[in-house]
Amino acid sequence: MTETADLPIEEILFQKVIDHLRVIYPELDIRAIARDLIHTMRLDEDCQKPLAHKNLWDQTDITVITYGNSILSDDNNQKPLHTLHHFLKTHFTMLINSVHILPFFPYSSDDGFAVSAYKQVDPPLGDWNDILRISTDFHLMADLVINHCSAQHEWFRNYQQGKDPGNGFFVEADPRDDLSMVVRPRVTPLLRPTETPDGTRYVWCTFGHDQVDLNFRNPKVLAKIVDIIRLYLDMGIRIFRLDAVAFIWKRAGSICLNLKETHEIVRLLRTLIEHANPNAVIITETNIPNRENLSYFGNANEAHCIYNFSLPPLLVNTLISGNCQHLKNWLMAMPPAQNGTTYFNFIASHDGIGLRPVEGLLDDSEQEALVQTMENFGGQISWRALDDGSNKPYEINISLFDALKGTVSGEDQWQLERFICAHAIMLALEGIPAFYLHSLVGTTNDYARMKEHGHNRAINRRQWQEQELNERLADRESHHHKVFHRLRQLIQLRREQPAFHPNATQFTLHLGQQIFAFWRQSLDRRQSIFCINNISDVPQEISLNAINLIGTDEWKDLVSDTTFNDMLATVTLAPYQTLWITNRT
């Protein structure tokens, strides 16, 4: 019998694709579908062998998340993508090596996530040449918005006319179907009545009536998505963010979330992408409870990275309550990621602080206290509908800088220190850290933009004029300068430490409820770092003996550059102070 390893890579790939399709389309001619997908990806011309369990990252990998038009030039003739590229090169060269540009395609709503043309760059932002130039200087992440497209997309307009491509591209349901269990993050009606040549049809809209869900039961839809992926690879995109991917397969009578076909489609896309570029990375964006989120690692054969959605609400809750018990419990329960997979850590984003990921981690009263505190600091609340007809808070919309302006007791003088502490924790945790651009520069709530756009998420989507932002970053008295300067220092320190490799060993330490601490050890076991954070607004004392520093090693705090000679000494941490105590000097 011929061993699989002895077969040509093209035959191995074909069989893998067949195996995926057998789960997704058991009743169809999957061999023809497999050949079509492989041809679309040009894997019949150039097929590369991916390496299993290979880490495609190290401690120097740090991402910035931004809209293509978050930075605008005073020159009206300069496209925003060009301005963004210039800003990134000016301020982040040798610090940040990856950039996630949020949807840069033509769209009709949701600040880009209702895509009306997948193969174009939105003309007001720039063109594909701008994308290619950015991808030469940074690893570029792009959104693959595959659960839905805009109601203005050509496919949906064709669907309304009974034409191709588009006919059969959208999920239809009967209002009499059992849809009571469907989980979704909106309060709008699930089904949209739509007139077609065959009469009124009811199309599925998980996120709203301008975002119409694509029908992956139709293999022609899958083929279109694979064709889009091929273009993105050609345009220099290396990291694919699968937006809202948990919702892509529907079955009446179920929750329509995380179904087996959904996971198999992720595995299929992984197989196709990594055979085209073994260094490409898939990240799943699944804003769901923690256990369900972890399932998207599969057996190291689905996502390379998963968003650590529980981190933002748990960390904010920790810092406003002065109690890290829930954060410690969560960290202890997080399984170490296998080689070839890792966590994608973020604490602020273009959306908000999601609350679904802390279901089962914070009780109702703790969530209510978190929501109330954020409202006191100017935050807004977005809601989702429950199956009993009631609504429940889904996410908190607020800039992270404002979210940390105080505690449950109110505003105080520790906003900057609390904000820096939050990012120091993120930078040190197992995984790849990702900074929202507005956090890096200390952007505050934008009430004018929220009012102008009429939705809560706009509060944290400010557009800066490049010259104004540069002036604020240069002003030493400005909080923007202080945030930017200190975060740059921490980023540089992280990049130099092997113990901060995304897959380095991590253990939780127990130093009380006001000190959040954990230990990291490099893959070669030569470096240890004890990450110790006072998450309260009062000084805290710890004994170095409590963390068992090895007496034969030399230890120092990387952040303050303080050396420790007495292993029995007591150290006092100021409110929100961070220590990174290491034996590697």
Side-chain angles (χ1 to χ4, degrees):
M1 179 180 293
T2 303
E3 294 292 333
T4 302
D6 296 331
L7 293 175
I9 184 63
E10 293 81 4
E11 291 187 30
I12 297 174
L13 170 63
F14 183 74
Q15 188 56 54
K16 288 190 70 173
V17 174
I18 286 289
D19 291 341
H20 296 310
L21 293 173
R22 187 175 289 115
V23 176
I24 305 167
Y25 306 119
E27 306 300 324
L28 300 182
D29 179 6
I30 56 176
R31 298 183 70 83
I33 298 172
R35 285 191 291 269
D36 180 51
L37 296 178
I38 289 170
H39 178 71
T40 298
M41 283 288 282
R42 299 201 300 273
L43 298 177
D44 47 2
E45 301 173 16
D46 181 15
C47 181
Q48 302 183 54
K49 182 178 180 180
L51 296 177
H53 301 289
K54 177 184 179 183
N55 293 326
L56 301 173
W57 42 76
D58 62 23
Q59 64 272 15
T60 66
D61 280 275
I62 297 173
T63 302
V64 61
I65 304 166
T66 179
Y67 278 101
N69 57 3
S70 291
I71 310 292
L72 302 175
S73 173
D74 294 319
D75 177 0
N76 292 328
N77 294 319
Q78 186 174 108
K79 294 290 188 179
L81 284 173
H82 181 87
T83 306
L84 175 65
H85 190 196
H86 178 262
F87 184 84
L88 293 173
K89 287 199 302 180
T90 300
H91 294 288
F92 299 127
T93 298
M94 303 305 294
L95 280 178
I96 288 174
N97 65 355
S98 303
V99 57
H100 172 202
I101 304 179
L102 291 152
F104 47 80
F105 320 106
Y107 68 97
S108 57
S109 63
D110 200 15
D111 278 2
F113 286 93
V115 178
S116 55
Y118 286 97
K119 289 190 167 186
Q120 299 176 29
V121 174
D122 198 17
L125 290 179
D127 56 31
W128 281 116
N129 287 326
D130 294 304
I131 294 297
L132 281 167
R133 281 190 284 268
I134 293 172
S135 72
T136 62
D137 291 322
F138 299 90
H139 300 319
L140 181 57
M141 184 195 304
D143 289 276
L144 196 60
V145 186
I146 61 174
N147 178 71
H148 52 263
C149 71
S150 166
Q152 303 302 313
H153 196 288
E154 176 192 19
W155 296 342
F156 192 65
R157 293 200 303 268
N158 285 347
Y159 166 81
Q160 291 172 301
Q161 301 172 47
K163 294 165 47 178
D164 291 324
N167 199 20
F169 273 31
F170 298 93
V171 179
E172 296 179 351
D174 188 317
R176 295 169 295 183
D177 290 341
D178 178 11
L179 305 177
S180 61
M181 296 175 62
V182 174
V183 174
R184 53 195 297 264
R186 296 291 185 273
V187 296
T188 54
L190 175 63
L191 301 182
R192 164 184 166 152
T194 303
E195 296 303 318
T196 74
D198 298 321
T200 302
R201 293 290 182 265
Y202 294 85
V203 293
W204 196 294
C205 300
T206 298
F207 292 91
H209 286 190
D210 190 46
Q211 293 166 291
V212 191
D213 286 31
L214 293 164
N215 180 20
F216 278 88
R217 291 180 182 272
N218 183 347
K220 292 181 180 178
V221 171
L222 177 61
K224 286 289 186 182
I225 296 302
V226 170
D227 182 48
I228 292 164
I229 290 172
R230 180 65 262 181
L231 172 67
Y232 292 0
L233 285 166
D234 292 340
M235 293 297 109
I237 293 164
R238 177 187 158 186
I239 308 169
F240 292 83
R241 177 184 182 270
L242 303 191
D243 176 67
V245 70
F247 298 93
I248 64 174
W249 197 271
K250 283 79 176 176
R251 183 179 300 114
S254 78
I255 63 173
C256 300
L257 188 68
N258 309 319
L259 299 184
K260 69 173 184 178
E261 293 87 353
T262 295
H263 283 281
E264 201 64 44
I265 289 171
V266 174
R267 294 184 193 110
L268 170 62
L269 296 181
R270 161 83 176 255
T271 294
L272 294 171
I273 289 171
E274 68 183 2
H275 279 82
N277 180 354
N279 291 313
V281 170
I282 287 177
I283 302 181
T284 48
E285 187 268 337
T286 46
N287 192 357
I288 52 181
N290 194 52
R291 183 183 295 272
E292 298 169 34
N293 190 33
L294 289 168
S295 71
Y296 282 86
F297 276 142
N299 186 21
N301 61 350
E302 292 189 40
H304 294 88
C305 307
I306 61 170
Y307 275 76
N308 233 339
F309 275 107
S310 296
L311 178 60
L314 282 176
L315 185 52
V316 171
N317 179 73
T318 294
L319 290 165
I320 66 167
S321 69
N323 187 321
C324 67
Q325 190 59 52
H326 291 307
L327 189 62
K328 284 200 300 184
N329 291 344
W330 166 78
L331 194 66
M332 287 187 292
M334 292 295 283
Q338 297 184 50
N339 282 331
T341 67
T342 194
Y343 296 103
F344 193 73
N345 295 326
F346 74 107
I347 54 176
S349 76
H350 61 289
D351 287 339
I353 301 171
L355 295 173
R356 287 220 67 207
V358 291
E359 292 177 6
L361 301 175
L362 299 180
D363 64 30
D364 288 346
S365 64
E366 289 165 329
Q367 291 188 48
E368 290 172 8
L370 173 60
V371 167
Q372 183 61 61
T373 303
M374 295 301 98
E375 287 185 309
N376 293 342
F377 297 159
Q380 305 294 309
I381 308 301
S382 295
W383 302 80
R384 69 182 180 95
L386 301 180
D387 57 12
D388 63 2
S390 64
N391 296 330
K392 185 175 183 179
Y394 173 71
E395 72 178 13
I396 302 164
N397 305 111
I398 190 170
S399 79
L400 186 63
F401 192 70
D402 282 324
L404 297 176
K405 64 170 57 175
T407 69
V408 291
S409 299
E411 296 183 27
D412 60 24
Q413 74 271 35
W414 301 109
Q415 181 178 17
L416 176 62
E417 300 304 325
R418 192 179 289 113
F419 186 76
I420 298 302
C421 178
H423 287 90
I425 290 172
M426 179 187 74
L427 280 166
L429 286 170
E430 175 188 357
I432 298 170
F435 289 85
Y436 189 38
L437 179 66
H438 288 299
S439 292
L440 280 168
V441 299
T443 304
T444 55
N445 290 338
D446 191 338
Y447 298 108
R449 185 172 178 83
M450 183 180 68
K451 182 178 180 180
E452 175 189 355
H453 286 259
H455 62 84
N456 291 345
R457 286 178 167 179
I459 198 172
N460 197 23
R461 298 178 179 179
R462 178 168 181 169
Q463 291 179 310
W464 282 101
Q465 293 298 130
E466 184 180 25
Q467 181 176 343
E468 178 190 2
L469 182 54
N470 283 334
E471 289 172 355
R472 295 203 186 187
L473 294 178
D475 178 3
R476 291 181 176 272
E477 298 303 313
S478 163
H479 83 264
H480 302 282
H481 169 86
K482 295 172 183 176
V483 164
F484 189 60
H485 177 69
R486 291 183 62 179
L487 290 181
R488 282 174 57 95
Q489 288 181 319
L490 288 175
I491 291 169
Q492 186 60 57
L493 283 173
R494 177 213 157 81
R495 288 172 52 92
E496 296 168 353
Q497 314 307 320
F500 284 152
H501 186 287
N503 293 88
T505 299
Q506 176 174 283
F507 283 111
T508 308
L509 303 177
H510 300 279
L511 300 175
Q513 294 184 338
Q514 283 70 53
I515 295 179
F516 179 60
F518 50 95
W519 172 70
R520 303 294 308 279
Q521 185 183 58
S522 60
L523 297 175
D524 63 8
R525 301 186 180 182
R526 294 181 179 179
Q527 184 188 24
S528 289
I529 301 180
F530 292 87
C531 308
I532 302 171
N533 307 274
N534 179 0
I535 52 82
S536 77
D537 57 3
V538 296
Q540 300 291 328
E541 290 188 348
I542 65 163
S543 168
L544 294 180
N545 186 49
I547 57 176
N548 296 321
L549 300 184
I550 298 173
T552 56
D553 288 350
E554 295 182 0
W555 298 90
K556 78 169 186 178
D557 171 34
L558 292 167
V559 180
S560 65
D561 201 30
T562 300
T563 299
F564 301 104
N565 295 315
D566 182 0
M567 298 299 101
L568 301 178
T570 296
V571 177
T572 300
L573 280 76
Y576 306 105
Q577 182 180 354
T578 290
L579 303 178
W580 286 346
I581 301 176
T582 184
N583 59 347
R584 182 177 181 266
T585 57

